[in-house]
Amino acid sequence: MAITSDKLNRRSFLKVSALAGGGMILSFNWLAGCKPNLEEVLGMPKEWFRLNGFIKIGENGLITIMSPNPEGGQNIKTSMPLIVAEELDADWTKVVVEQAPLDTDNFTRQFIGGSQAIRMGWKALRTAGATARHLLIQAAAQTWKVDASEITTEPGFLVHKASGKKAHFGEMASLAATMPVPEEVPLKEISQFRLIGKSHKNVEAKNIVTGKPLFGIDYKKEGMLIAMIVHPPAHGLRLKSFDDSAARSMPGIRDIFQIKSHQDAYERTFFDTTSFTDLVAIVGNSTWEVMNAKKAMKVEWEEFATYEEKRDWNGRKELRTIPAGLENHEQQLQKIAESAKNGRTVRKDGNPEAAFASAAKIIERTYNGPFLAHNCMEPMNFFAHVQGDRIDCAGPLQKPELTEQAISSRLGIPIENINIEMTRLGGGYGRRSYAHWLIEAAVISQKVNAPIKLIYTREDDMTGGIYRPMYQATYRAALDQDNNLTGFHVNAGGLVEPPIYPNRFPAGAVDNYWAEEWAVPSNITVGSFRAPRSNFIAAAEQSFLDEVAEAAGKDPLEFRLELLQKAKANPVGENNDYDPDRFIGVLELLKTKSNWGQSQPGISRGVSAYFCHNSYAAQVLDLKIENGQVQVEKVVQAVDCGLVINPDAAKNLCEGCVVDGIGTAMYGELKFANGAPDRSNFDQYRMIRMKEAPKAIETHFVESQVDPTGLGEPGYPPVFAALANALYQATGKRFYDQPFAKQLEG
């Protein structure tokens, strides 16, 4: 049995005390594998006993498990409590799941980002469950006057086999809550798992399909007013003046005023990103009334001069220059071309220059990716109520702890007086990491001295940032007389960051490898977008590898395996990020499950594989083109994410990656003219339609006992190239620029 110490985060387990009174049920495992007695399961206990920050147990045996991280569709509100329940040995049919509020004393890394929730929470969640189980056993041992080693557990019960005594957890919870917390607790072996590795339905499924209010946009409070903001129509502009005379006299309007979300001297932290800090706020009784008043506003804007802003990137201080000007797409392309000539070397193995000088064949290709908008289905929103030196707020948020720090700095309210209630996210994948709208909501509430809910229109969201950067990558490959890959060079950058991960494959698999990066300053705000940077560089790299394989006369899947075998047997360099064995494993599994090498009439196939967020994903995409329309018939994918917690949820995540990636690759694009994006709503920004989704998706997981790793993002980057490579097979034309639909039309 594994032993874990809770010394790393002991504060999570020190709060052991009885908690009287009930708690609100936010969700219940309504589709469990059996049908328990509803009166027994759903009847709220008269008294709860808190065993640690994650768990409280009622005197009737009902167990509440807190889900610490925000829920945005990745199903961690099921999977994270499931890990706790496994070590607790709880009866899952008698578990209530509650969304935890932001609580930095009891929980660490309470945010969505980097596909790290399960990976980073794995040990803490298991320790919480195991600690509670230990306390219950100690309580039973004291009650029954036997040695604790003689007591075992079965789902929801404590058992002393020698005497035949048995008690449900609730009977011992009161005493258990008074027991001392151990320094170390034993954890189950994987072979002992009953819950982990088996599929469990989403605990919020019934609430979602029946339309129960779960999202921030649903949030209501007595006396709540509605607020909206007016921001500049283009990046590079700032507020000059406004005339609110017409809007102020309209029905339902309470107030109109200027706000500043960040002070000029403010040192921004990692996620304090926003293009516009000088705004006009409109406050009124209803959404419709405020929207109408917003349309009646007359606002003047002016261009700002180049300035510098202070930033703290997790302890690394810097001054970032924000250039003046109203940017245009053509000018951006020109700056990219100029910057690419001055790349900075970030990795160099062997002698790439000599390899290219002596090459029998050189392949060189350039790939481009446009700005992308997140387009969350739920527009940005947040509730805030500032009362003196206290603030209560609620809404969809990916990084609550970091945002809490920003609110504290801006409003001068102590962090301990800020309460953030996390609602379900109606889409995120980076967009809700940069929660400037929460700060705006708090500033507005403070100004009007009332509870308010700030709501962005779709146009607010799409024109105000934050975007996936605009990228470009040029690849070169050198082949010798025997078609061996002897040199590899990538030069990549973007507005305003480069997309390169220099130590990822094929680094380590090529003797002469060279990676260069560059960046173009811009006043257009960019930020995290599902699988940041990987979402572009994987598409370019994996498309290029297919073309290199063709030039070498090799099967594209076998070509990748050949390179990985070399990285395994004779790795080049010492800083390679990936494990060649695991990478080979997903490709071998994909090869088998997709029946690679077997052609089908009228079907074109593309393959791609990528490592990111600590996991490996490989895909084969089958498509056909009928009447000029692309139809993806099937996608088979193999994934190695370590131990799979909840296969049902894991497959859903991987399927979502595929559909999302195909839609973005085919249609996603945003360009700028005079600083303004050329699309501001779904009538212009093309999204994938249901009929365009793959007819079938198969997901296969590598069997593994490695600790679980990321899953919300790893399946997203490779599907771009799987699609591009399949389109080449269908059309005879390589796809170098996104979106692909434009090239098909051209």
Side-chain angles (χ1 to χ4, degrees):
M1 213 177 239
I3 301 293
T4 183
S5 169
D6 61 356
K7 292 177 182 177
L8 291 175
N9 186 25
R10 190 161 166 74
R11 62 182 181 175
S12 294
F13 308 106
L14 288 177
K15 295 185 176 182
V16 183
S17 59
L19 178 70
M24 181 177 66
I25 296 182
L26 296 184
S27 49
F28 174 70
N29 187 25
W30 69 290
L31 282 177
C34 61
K35 295 182 179 179
N37 182 295
L38 291 179
E39 183 179 351
E40 177 187 48
V41 176
L42 293 180
M44 293 301 295
K46 296 177 181 176
E47 192 168 15
W48 288 102
F49 305 97
R50 187 178 292 279
L51 272 67
N52 55 48
F54 291 86
I55 303 165
K56 59 182 181 181
I57 300 177
E59 96 288 335
N60 64 348
L62 189 67
I63 300 169
T64 292
I65 300 179
M66 308 303 289
S67 182
N69 287 36
E71 174 60 69
Q74 69 277 53
N75 207 11
I76 54 169
K77 195 171 179 180
T78 302
S79 297
M80 295 186 91
L82 197 69
I83 297 170
V84 177
E86 179 66 79
E87 290 291 349
L88 176 61
D89 212 5
D91 180 347
W92 187 244
T93 66
K94 295 178 176 62
V95 170
V96 171
V97 174
E98 287 187 14
Q99 177 65 61
L102 178 63
D103 183 353
T104 54
D105 287 333
N106 278 311
F107 308 112
T108 58
R109 205 181 186 279
Q110 237 180 317
F111 66 81
I112 298 175
S115 298
Q116 297 296 293
I118 297 296
R119 177 174 177 262
M120 299 299 290
W122 176 241
K123 184 175 180 180
L125 293 163
R126 294 185 72 189
T127 303
T131 300
R133 180 174 175 271
H134 170 88
L135 298 175
L136 289 165
I137 287 174
Q138 296 300 314
Q142 182 173 313
T143 300
W144 294 336
K145 296 182 172 44
V146 298
D147 193 89
S149 63
E150 299 176 22
I151 295 175
T152 58
T153 57
E154 56 187 50
F157 285 89
L158 296 145
V159 179
H160 185 242
K161 292 181 180 177
S163 65
K165 291 180 179 177
K166 185 175 183 179
H168 64 67
F169 287 172
E171 295 176 68
M172 298 295 171
S174 176
L175 181 58
T178 68
M179 292 288 169
V181 179
E183 287 288 335
E184 295 182 341
V185 288
L187 300 178
K188 287 183 178 181
E189 300 294 340
I190 291 175
S191 61
Q192 297 175 303
F193 287 168
R194 294 183 305 98
L195 299 173
I196 291 175
K198 295 181 175 62
S199 286
H200 301 271
K201 296 297 180 183
N202 188 325
V203 296
E204 282 197 323
K206 187 175 182 180
N207 295 333
I208 294 168
V209 299
T210 57
K212 183 175 180 180
L214 297 170
F215 301 92
I217 203 78
D218 301 321
Y219 198 88
K220 293 180 181 178
K221 204 79 169 181
E222 181 93 22
M224 182 182 79
L225 300 175
I226 298 297
M228 287 188 173
I229 54 131
V230 182
H231 69 254
H235 296 259
L237 295 179
R238 66 181 181 185
L239 179 65
K240 181 179 180 181
S241 64
F242 65 93
D243 178 357
D244 63 1
S245 55
R248 187 176 287 276
S249 63
M250 294 177 73
I253 300 307
R254 298 291 191 95
D255 205 352
I256 299 174
F257 48 87
Q258 182 178 350
I259 64 167
K260 199 171 185 68
S261 57
H262 287 310
Q263 303 294 0
D264 292 336
Y266 175 64
E267 183 180 73
R268 298 176 183 235
T269 56
F270 196 89
F271 288 102
D272 286 330
T273 298
T274 178
S275 294
F276 310 119
T277 57
D278 291 302
L279 309 161
V280 179
I282 307 168
V283 181
N285 295 332
S286 71
T287 304
W288 179 248
E289 290 170 324
V290 175
M291 285 182 73
N292 285 330
K294 183 179 176 182
K295 293 173 184 175
M297 292 288 296
K298 295 178 181 178
V299 187
E300 265 195 282
W301 313 97
E302 62 183 359
E303 292 190 40
F304 60 66
T306 297
Y307 68 94
E308 290 184 330
E309 63 181 26
K310 299 176 183 176
R311 298 199 69 88
D312 182 345
W313 298 89
N314 292 331
R316 179 169 57 87
K317 308 281 186 174
E318 72 170 31
L319 276 177
R320 171 170 286 190
T321 300
I322 309 299
L326 303 178
E327 297 183 18
N328 292 287
H329 180 69
E330 293 73 19
Q331 295 168 340
Q332 291 167 342
L333 290 175
Q334 185 178 349
K335 288 181 180 179
I336 282 174
E338 293 168 357
S339 298
K341 297 174 185 176
N342 301 296
R344 179 178 69 93
T345 296
V346 288
R347 174 163 173 161
K348 197 171 189 180
D349 298 326
N351 190 338
E353 292 92 343
F356 280 97
S358 62
K361 190 184 301 182
I362 294 176
I363 305 98
E364 180 174 338
R365 300 291 183 265
T366 297
Y367 301 82
N368 289 284
F371 287 106
L372 297 173
H374 290 80
N375 293 324
C376 305
M377 292 297 103
E378 177 195 20
M380 302 304 109
N381 67 88
F382 229 88
F383 168 84
H385 190 192
V386 178
Q387 301 174 80
D389 66 347
R390 176 178 175 78
I391 176 172
D392 293 299
C393 39
L397 190 60
Q398 288 185 230
K399 310 290 189 296
E401 183 174 354
L402 299 176
T403 307
E404 182 183 58
Q405 296 166 9
I407 296 173
S408 177
S409 175
R410 174 62 183 85
L411 272 66
I413 294 176
I415 283 181
E416 59 269 22
N417 292 353
I418 300 173
N419 175 53
I420 298 180
E421 181 183 336
M422 293 183 286
T423 64
R424 189 178 181 88
L425 283 69
Y429 285 110
R431 181 64 181 99
R432 288 188 159 94
S433 296
Y434 309 89
H436 48 85
W437 55 89
L438 173 47
I439 300 169
E440 293 161 8
V443 172
I444 294 169
S445 174
Q446 188 179 55
K447 173 75 173 177
V448 298
N449 194 28
I452 67 103
K453 180 163 69 177
L454 175 67
I455 300 175
Y456 275 30
T457 64
R458 178 65 57 193
E459 289 80 5
D460 288 334
D461 190 21
M462 287 185 66
T463 60
I466 295 156
Y467 308 109
R468 198 284 297 266
M470 182 180 179
Y471 290 126
Q472 184 183 92
T474 297
Y475 284 88
R476 292 192 301 147
L479 299 176
D480 64 15
Q481 294 285 353
D482 298 319
N483 284 324
N484 295 310
L485 179 62
T486 58
F488 194 90
H489 177 210
V490 55
N491 173 293
L495 280 83
V496 295
E497 66 174 22
I500 283 186
Y501 290 93
N503 298 321
R504 289 186 184 170
F505 178 79
V510 185
D511 291 332
N512 304 293
Y513 175 88
W514 187 10
E516 295 181 286
E517 68 177 23
W518 43 269
V520 178
S522 173
N523 57 44
I524 295 171
T525 313
V526 301
S528 297
F529 190 99
R530 191 173 197 174
R533 296 186 285 162
S534 297
N535 56 54
F536 169 75
I537 205 68
E541 168 206 291
Q542 290 293 306
S543 296
F544 183 66
L545 285 179
D546 247 49
E547 198 160 352
V548 174
E550 183 180 53
K554 297 178 180 180
D555 176 272
L557 195 153
E558 296 296 341
F559 178 62
R560 289 168 172 81
L561 284 171
E562 177 187 313
L563 290 174
L564 286 163
Q565 290 290 355
K566 181 176 181 180
K568 176 182 177 181
N570 298 293
V572 180
E574 299 178 353
N575 299 316
N576 303 323
D577 289 347
Y578 60 96
D579 180 338
D581 264 329
R582 293 181 70 183
F583 217 146
I584 290 167
V586 293
L587 277 168
E588 292 287 5
L589 180 60
L590 180 70
K591 183 178 175 181
T592 300
K593 296 297 184 181
S594 68
N595 296 314
W596 182 257
Q598 298 181 19
S599 61
Q600 302 175 57
I603 297 296
S604 301
R605 314 193 89 185
V607 66
S608 180
Y610 196 69
F611 161 76
C612 68
H613 299 86
N614 310 103
S615 294
Y616 304 77
Q619 295 152 345
V620 167
L621 184 147
D622 295 346
L623 63 78
K624 62 182 180 181
I625 299 179
E626 292 183 341
N627 301 319
Q629 300 298 310
V630 176
Q631 176 59 60
V632 179
E633 294 291 302
K634 188 176 184 180
V635 177
V636 179
Q637 57 184 335
V639 179
D640 182 352
C641 59
L643 183 68
V644 178
I645 303 301
N646 183 356
D648 193 57
K651 285 183 179 180
N652 289 342
L653 269 176
C654 294
E655 290 171 359
C657 284
V658 167
V659 176
D660 192 9
I662 291 172
T664 304
M666 286 294 291
Y667 310 114
E669 181 184 34
L670 203 65
K671 291 182 179 179
F672 285 82
N674 296 320
D678 62 351
R679 294 165 174 83
S680 61
N681 211 319
F682 291 132
D683 60 331
Q684 303 159 320
Y685 197 104
R686 178 81 153 81
M687 304 288 284
I688 191 170
R689 313 285 200 259
M690 291 182 70
K691 67 179 181 180
E692 294 162 342
K695 290 183 178 178
I697 302 175
E698 285 184 15
T699 304
H700 304 276
F701 295 101
V702 174
E703 291 188 14
S704 175
Q705 294 193 355
V706 174
D707 285 353
T709 50
L711 200 54
E713 292 161 285
Y716 184 68
V719 77
F720 287 71
L723 175 61
N725 295 333
L727 285 170
Y728 167 69
Q729 296 298 326
T731 65
K733 176 178 166 184
R734 291 287 180 183
F735 286 72
Y736 301 113
D737 302 313
Q738 297 169 26
F740 300 155
K742 269 193 171 180
Q743 292 187 66
L744 283 167
E745 293 166 2

